[in-house]
Amino acid sequence: MTAAAGKGLEGVVASQTSLSFIDGLKGVLVYRGYNIHELAPNASFIEGVFLLWNGRLPTRPELDVFEARLAGLRALDPRTLDGLRTLPGDAVPMSALRTGISLEGMHDPDAEDNSAEANRRKAERLVARTPTMIAAIHRIRQGKEPLAPDPALSLSADFVRMANGEPGTEEAVEALDRTLLLYLDHGFNASTFACRVIAATLGDMHSAVTGGVGALKGSLHGGANARAMQTLLEIGSLDNVGPWLGKAFAEKRKIMGFGHRVYRTEDPRATHLREMSRVLTNQAGLGEFYEMSRELEDQMIARKGINPNVDFYCATVYYALGIPIDLYTPLFAMGRMGGWTAHVMEQHGDNRLIRPRAEYVGEMDLAWAPIEDR
């Protein structure tokens, strides 16, 4: 008789990884041996991707070559753009992204090759093209023509230009890049585990990360950052935080952006995003949203003992940058693409089919009855 299963595989160690480590009791997040508090103030998103894929930080010449290589891969396959143009105008951006990734997979020259070399090439194209795809989705739904990438710009700077039609400020580009780094990887979260399950069947990389996009779309995972901003807009003012929260508790509503399945203390990513939110909301004349966020955080900790997670302060960071709320989760996917692809490569490098057992709780020993007697 096996032990009873915990809901949601709680506490189950599914496999080994050398990509990231989380200590939920101490609030620690590590990428390849580097604490996030070391990386977040210093590393770029692309440096983080290099670290995950290669197991070490790049030298300056290596980083220059890596950035140039990815920059040269940003242009989407024209057939992918044609497919994106056929989607409904009111399509949810995450659904459009899921379709776009799948289309790219159909046209990728390495589509069915799961060798280490082909997986690396596919990973490079996916990380390079996801920003281009999100920007194209955003412009197409506005009735505008997608802009071609500019390889002279950094990945984050080029995304801002392609999405908005004009360059972003240095502060905006730096803030976006840091959020991508903070979203890069986070152990066997729902979307990453979905990627690994698909990869473990020897499914191809595009199939695996398409599954990741589908998992991230859910409001209990990546969709929480958009829901967190909608919560603040619903509250509306600093004075209404307490009354709104009391009503939400009475209605047993889940407060999005708070709590985490792993952390029992502050999410270390939230530490950095809180300060970014303070600076950026004040610069944008939206400081009350930061004050509302702090008040909501204080009351949640005092009344429920629950800390904010990565999504809570990222919401106000993106709002201060003028990013549409329904693009928050696609931006999460833009950052996590570096981690998803790393996990697919790691899974394929030492593969075993992921096949857990289920604890059956249904009836047994029922007697068959002819259909006329049922």
Side-chain angles (χ1 to χ4, degrees), residues 34-45 47-48 57 60 63 174 177-178 181 272:
Y34 290 90
N35 192 295
I36 196 65
H37 296 317
E38 285 285 314
L39 292 173
N42 301 304
S44 68
F45 170 61
E47 280 183 279
L57 289 169
R60 168 51 63 186
L63 181 60
E174 182 181 344
D177 196 77
R178 189 171 297 179
L181 177 66
H272 298 275

Side-chain angles (χ1 to χ4, degrees), residues 291-358:
E291 297 301 328
M292 289 163 57
S293 300
R294 289 308 308 265
E295 180 63 22
L296 188 58
E297 177 185 3
D298 290 344
Q299 292 203 28
M300 283 292 291
I301 292 173
R303 298 166 71 172
K304 293 290 185 179
I306 302 177
N307 291 282
N309 56 42
V310 65
D311 297 307
F312 185 62
Y313 281 103
C314 193
T316 42
V317 166
Y318 284 165
Y319 196 74
L321 294 176
I323 296 169
I325 293 175
D326 62 0
L327 288 186
Y328 291 7
T329 311
L331 293 188
F332 191 154
M334 189 192 306
R336 188 56 57 84
M337 189 61 72
W340 288 338
T341 51
H343 278 272
V344 172
M345 289 187 283
E346 185 177 63
Q347 183 68 41
H348 279 170
D350 184 22
N351 190 56
R352 182 170 174 79
L353 180 68
I354 297 174
R355 177 58 170 88
R357 295 184 62 186

Side-chain angles (χ1 to χ4, degrees), residues 3-10 12 359:
K7 281 192 173 181
L9 300 181
E10 181 129 19
V12 173
E359 180 187 9

Side-chain angles (χ1 to χ4, degrees), residues 258-278:
F258 285 88
H260 198 279
R261 281 287 298 274
V262 176
Y263 295 115
R264 295 298 175 262
T265 184
E266 177 160 295
D267 183 332
R269 300 166 298 177
T271 306
H272 298 275
L273 289 163
R274 183 189 293 108
E275 178 60 14
M276 292 167 64
S277 172
R278 183 188 70 79

